[in-house]
Amino acid sequence: MLRSSWQTHLNDRLAQRREAKLWRERPILEQVVRQRDFASNDYLGLSDDPRLAEAQAQGARRFGAGAGASHLVSGHLSPHHELEERLAELMGRPRALLFSTGYMANLGTLQALGDSHTQIYQDRLNHASLLDGAALAGARSRRFHHRDLGDLHRLLERTPADSRRLVVSDGVFSMDGDIADITGLARTCQQHDAWLMIDDAHGIGVLGEHGDGCVGQCYGTDQVPILVATLGKALGSAGAVVAGDELLIETLIQFARPYIYTTAQPPGVASATLRALDILATEPERRTRLHDNIHHFRAGAAALGLPLMPSTTPIQPLLLGTSTKVMAWRDTLASHGFLVGAIREPTVPRGQARLRLTLSARHTLNDIDALLDCLGELVSHEWQGAQGATNS
Ligand SMILES: *Cc1c(COP(=O)(O)O)cnc(C)c1O
């Protein structure tokens, strides 16, 4: 049978990916052993909390399993609206708008704000959804060096005169775990009449006095006019929110196509997130335990001489360098039941492949020690391997 040009093309692409050792697979988990899961973004251990499941079931019984329509038609139900009000309050903003996913929130916000007269400046390590949003907007987009305000300043000075400026950064960087310099970014933006958008997907629920993230109630809308947070990480459910003033939110409702042309998230999901917000407020000990776990892991990993990165957040990458080494370590850890992320190009630059370990309030110090024992064996094997190579 003659192969179509499509089949040839796609087979070639897949073969290239396999050869480059970048093939990706989806592990099927029957039941996750959460104590050994160091890969999820479930930082507060809420995703399988029975109280969230119960709230979701109640929401579904009361409002239906699905929303039935988009927000502007007849899908904007009372749990969605209540959730927007609660999130606005947590994030210290006048208003908030619920999206079905963080990816869509970023696409929608950048598409609604940007056009060919918009110059968008992105930190080099920003999340893929932010880069894709700038492309969808048809805006001109440039990247500045990671956390480099001097580089950003230089680029802003050269903005074409007919352009509005928008600076975009992750709050907590999802592959490195470090935190943006919000004060510095806000000051630089004010100097250049630019708006600042922060995507705090990994900060919400984890950082800040109230779990309000790295921006939250510390910075007003005059400093950070556009604040995004996702609800599928620390908050344990799904969806995302964009928070800001009336002008921003109405602009999004009128113009954000990924908001307008999609079915509203299932109302039970919003009910579950509302329950997660209650728990966030009443159980601050979860955040304390999480931060204790981060300290414990870093102290142990440093003692083993592991290649830690400068991160104070639950995201603790080990910079191993090559994809081959990352996959070997990942497989050994998996054979002991530990799940960790293996991050390779194109997600991170070549030569910066890493294991991405994430800590959660659900881990005990014993769980972390068990992981450190396994990492310690990997280090000592490598050390013996290196000596063997020198001796032979
Ligand atoms: C996870 C993530 C997103 C996407 O959020 P989803 O709700 O999973 O679509 C967006 N931005 C950042 C920085 C993220 O880490």
Side-chain angles (χ1 to χ4, degrees), residues 41 43 99-106 125-130 169-175 199-202 228-233 237-241 315 356:
N41 303 311
Y43 303 125
F99 282 75
S100 294
T101 72
Y103 187 87
M104 289 169 71
N106 285 336
L125 298 189
N126 275 356
H127 191 263
S129 55
L130 294 167
S169 177
D170 280 14
V172 174
F173 288 89
S174 52
M175 295 301 136
D199 174 0
D200 204 17
H202 297 274
V228 180
T230 65
L231 311 173
K233 289 169 178 156
S237 63
V241 63
I315 301 168
R356 178 176 179 275

Coordinates of all heavy atoms in Angstrom, one line a residue, residues 41 43 99-106 125-130 169-175 199-202 228-233 237-241 315 356, ligand 1:
N41 N 2.4 18.1 41.7 CA 2.4 19.4 42.2 C 1.4 19.6 43.3 O 0.9 20.7 43.6 CB 2.0 20.4 41.0 CG 3.0 20.2 39.9 OD1 4.2 20.3 40.0 ND2 2.4 20.1 38.7
Y43 N 1.2 20.2 46.4 CA 2.1 20.6 47.5 C 1.5 20.5 48.9 O 2.2 20.4 49.8 CB 2.5 22.0 47.2 CG 3.2 22.2 45.9 CD1 2.8 23.1 45.0 CD2 4.3 21.4 45.5 CE1 3.4 23.3 43.7 CE2 4.9 21.5 44.3 CZ 4.4 22.5 43.4 OH 5.0 22.6 42.2
F99 N -11.0 30.4 34.8 CA -10.7 29.7 33.6 C -10.7 28.2 33.8 O -10.5 27.7 35.0 CB -9.4 30.1 33.0 CG -9.4 31.4 32.3 CD1 -9.4 32.6 33.0 CD2 -9.4 31.5 30.9 CE1 -9.4 33.8 32.4 CE2 -9.4 32.7 30.2 CZ -9.4 33.9 31.0
S100 N -10.9 27.4 32.8 CA -10.9 25.9 33.0 C -9.5 25.3 33.2 O -9.4 24.3 33.9 CB -11.5 25.2 31.8 OG -12.9 25.6 31.7
T101 N -8.5 25.9 32.7 CA -7.1 25.5 33.0 C -6.2 26.7 33.0 O -6.5 27.7 32.4 CB -6.5 24.5 31.9 OG1 -6.3 25.2 30.7 CG2 -7.5 23.3 31.7
G102 N -5.0 26.5 33.6 CA -4.0 27.5 33.6 C -3.5 27.8 32.2 O -3.2 29.0 31.8
Y103 N -3.4 26.8 31.4 CA -2.9 27.0 30.0 C -3.9 27.9 29.3 O -3.5 28.9 28.6 CB -2.9 25.6 29.3 CG -2.3 25.7 27.9 CD1 -0.9 25.5 27.7 CD2 -3.1 25.8 26.8 CE1 -0.4 25.6 26.5 CE2 -2.6 25.9 25.5 CZ -1.2 25.8 25.4 OH -0.7 25.9 24.1
M104 N -5.2 27.7 29.5 CA -6.2 28.6 28.8 C -6.2 30.0 29.4 O -6.4 31.0 28.7 CB -7.6 27.9 28.9 CG -7.7 26.7 28.0 SD -9.1 25.8 28.4 CE -10.4 26.9 27.7
A105 N -6.0 30.1 30.7 CA -5.9 31.4 31.3 C -4.8 32.3 30.7 O -5.0 33.5 30.4 CB -5.7 31.3 32.8
N106 N -3.7 31.7 30.5 CA -2.6 32.4 29.9 C -2.8 32.7 28.4 O -2.5 33.8 28.0 CB -1.2 31.6 30.1 CG -0.8 31.8 31.6 OD1 -1.1 32.7 32.3 ND2 0.0 30.8 32.0
L125 N 12.7 31.7 31.0 CA 12.3 30.4 31.6 C 10.8 30.3 31.8 O 10.3 29.4 32.5 CB 13.0 30.1 32.9 CG 14.5 30.0 32.8 CD1 15.1 29.5 34.1 CD2 15.0 29.1 31.7
N126 N 10.0 31.3 31.2 CA 8.6 31.3 31.4 C 7.9 30.0 30.9 O 8.5 29.3 30.0 CB 7.9 32.4 30.7 CG 7.9 33.7 31.5 OD1 8.4 33.7 32.7 ND2 7.5 34.8 31.0
H127 N 6.8 29.7 31.5 CA 6.0 28.5 31.1 C 5.6 28.5 29.7 O 5.3 29.6 29.1 CB 4.8 28.4 32.0 CG 4.1 27.1 32.0 ND1 2.9 26.9 31.2 CD2 4.3 25.9 32.6 CE1 2.5 25.7 31.3 NE2 3.3 25.1 32.2
A128 N 5.5 27.4 29.0 CA 5.1 27.3 27.6 C 3.8 28.0 27.3 O 3.7 28.6 26.2 CB 5.0 25.8 27.2
S129 N 2.9 28.0 28.2 CA 1.6 28.6 27.9 C 1.7 30.1 27.7 O 0.9 30.7 27.0 CB 0.6 28.2 29.0 OG 1.1 28.6 30.3
L130 N 2.7 30.7 28.4 CA 2.9 32.1 28.2 C 3.5 32.4 26.9 O 3.1 33.4 26.2 CB 3.8 32.7 29.4 CG 3.1 32.6 30.8 CD1 4.2 32.8 31.8 CD2 2.0 33.5 30.9
S169 N 6.1 37.2 33.6 CA 7.0 36.3 34.3 C 6.3 35.3 35.1 O 5.2 35.5 35.7 CB 8.0 37.1 35.2 OG 8.8 36.2 35.9
D170 N 6.8 34.1 35.2 CA 6.4 33.1 36.2 C 6.7 33.7 37.6 O 7.6 34.5 37.7 CB 7.2 31.8 36.1 CG 6.8 30.8 35.0 OD1 6.1 31.2 34.1 OD2 7.2 29.7 35.1
G171 N 5.9 33.4 38.6 CA 6.2 33.8 40.0 C 7.2 32.9 40.5 O 8.4 33.3 40.8
V172 N 6.9 31.6 40.6 CA 7.9 30.5 41.0 C 8.1 29.8 39.6 O 7.2 29.4 39.0 CB 7.3 29.5 42.0 CG1 8.2 28.4 42.2 CG2 7.0 30.3 43.3
F173 N 9.4 29.7 39.3 CA 9.7 29.1 38.0 C 9.6 27.6 38.1 O 10.2 26.9 39.0 CB 11.1 29.5 37.5 CG 11.1 31.0 37.1 CD1 11.4 32.0 38.0 CD2 10.8 31.3 35.8 CE1 11.3 33.3 37.7 CE2 10.7 32.6 35.4 CZ 11.0 33.6 36.4
S174 N 8.8 27.0 37.1 CA 8.3 25.7 37.3 C 9.4 24.6 37.2 O 9.2 23.5 37.7 CB 7.2 25.4 36.3 OG 7.5 25.7 35.0
M175 N 10.5 24.9 36.5 CA 11.5 23.9 36.3 C 12.7 24.1 37.2 O 13.6 23.3 37.4 CB 12.0 23.9 34.8 CG 10.9 23.4 33.9 SD 10.4 21.7 34.3 CE 8.6 22.0 34.1
D199 N 2.5 34.9 36.6 CA 1.8 33.6 36.7 C 2.3 32.9 37.9 O 3.4 32.3 37.9 CB 2.1 32.8 35.4 CG 1.6 31.4 35.4 OD1 1.0 31.0 36.4 OD2 1.8 30.7 34.4
D200 N 1.5 32.9 38.9 CA 1.9 32.3 40.2 C 1.4 30.9 40.4 O 1.0 30.5 41.6 CB 1.5 33.2 41.4 CG 2.4 33.1 42.6 OD1 3.5 32.5 42.5 OD2 1.9 33.5 43.7
A201 N 1.4 30.1 39.4 CA 0.9 28.7 39.4 C 1.4 27.9 40.6 O 0.7 27.2 41.2 CB 1.2 28.0 38.1
H202 N 2.7 28.1 40.9 CA 3.4 27.3 41.9 C 3.5 28.0 43.2 O 4.0 27.4 44.2 CB 4.8 26.8 41.5 CG 4.7 25.9 40.3 ND1 4.5 24.5 40.4 CD2 4.8 26.1 38.9 CE1 4.4 24.0 39.1 NE2 4.6 25.0 38.3
V228 N -2.1 35.7 37.7 CA -2.6 34.4 37.3 C -2.3 33.4 38.4 O -1.2 33.4 39.0 CB -2.1 33.9 36.0 CG1 -2.7 32.6 35.6 CG2 -2.4 35.0 34.9
A229 N -3.2 32.5 38.7 CA -2.9 31.4 39.6 C -3.6 30.2 39.1 O -4.7 30.3 38.5 CB -3.3 31.7 41.1
T230 N -3.1 29.0 39.3 CA -3.8 27.8 38.9 C -4.3 27.0 40.1 O -3.7 27.2 41.2 CB -2.9 26.9 38.0 OG1 -1.8 26.4 38.8 CG2 -2.3 27.6 36.8
L231 N -5.3 26.2 39.9 CA -6.0 25.6 41.0 C -5.8 24.1 41.1 O -6.2 23.4 42.0 CB -7.5 25.9 40.9 CG -7.8 27.4 40.6 CD1 -9.3 27.6 40.3 CD2 -7.4 28.2 41.8
G232 N -5.0 23.6 40.1 CA -4.7 22.1 40.0 C -3.4 21.8 40.7 O -3.0 20.6 40.7
K233 N -2.7 22.7 41.4 CA -1.5 22.4 42.0 C -1.7 22.3 43.5 O -2.4 21.4 44.0 CB -0.4 23.3 41.5 CG -0.1 23.0 40.1 CD 0.8 23.9 39.3 CE 1.0 23.3 37.9 NZ 1.3 24.3 36.9
S237 N -7.3 20.8 43.1 CA -8.5 20.5 42.2 C -8.1 20.8 40.7 O -7.2 20.1 40.2 CB -9.7 21.3 42.6 OG -9.6 22.6 42.5
A238 N -8.7 21.8 40.1 CA -8.4 22.0 38.7 C -8.9 23.4 38.3 O -9.9 23.9 38.9 CB -9.0 21.0 37.7
G239 N -8.3 24.0 37.3 CA -8.8 25.3 36.8 C -7.7 26.4 37.1 O -6.6 26.1 37.5
A240 N -8.1 27.6 36.8 CA -7.2 28.7 37.0 C -7.9 30.0 37.2 O -9.1 30.1 36.9 CB -6.2 28.8 35.8
V241 N -7.2 31.0 37.6 CA -7.9 32.3 37.8 C -7.0 33.4 37.4 O -5.8 33.3 37.5 CB -8.3 32.4 39.4 CG1 -7.0 32.4 40.2 CG2 -9.1 33.7 39.6
I315 N 9.7 22.9 44.7 CA 10.3 22.4 43.5 C 11.8 22.4 43.7 O 12.5 23.4 43.9 CB 10.0 23.3 42.3 CG1 8.5 23.4 42.1 CG2 10.7 22.8 41.0 CD1 8.1 24.4 41.1
R356 N 13.4 16.4 38.6 CA 12.6 17.5 39.2 C 11.8 16.8 40.4 O 10.9 16.0 40.1 CB 11.6 18.1 38.3 CG 10.7 19.2 38.9 CD 9.9 19.8 37.8 NE 9.0 20.8 38.2 CZ 7.7 20.6 38.7 NH1 7.3 19.3 38.8 NH2 7.0 21.6 39.1
Ligands
LIG1 C1 1.1 24.2 35.4 C2 1.3 25.6 34.9 C3 0.4 26.2 34.1 C4 -0.7 25.4 33.5 O1 -1.8 25.2 34.4 P1 -2.8 24.1 34.1 O2 -4.0 24.4 35.0 O3 -2.2 22.8 34.5 O4 -3.2 24.1 32.7 C5 0.6 27.5 33.7 N1 1.7 28.2 34.2 C6 2.6 27.6 35.0 C7 3.8 28.4 35.4 C8 2.4 26.3 35.4 O5 3.4 25.7 36.1

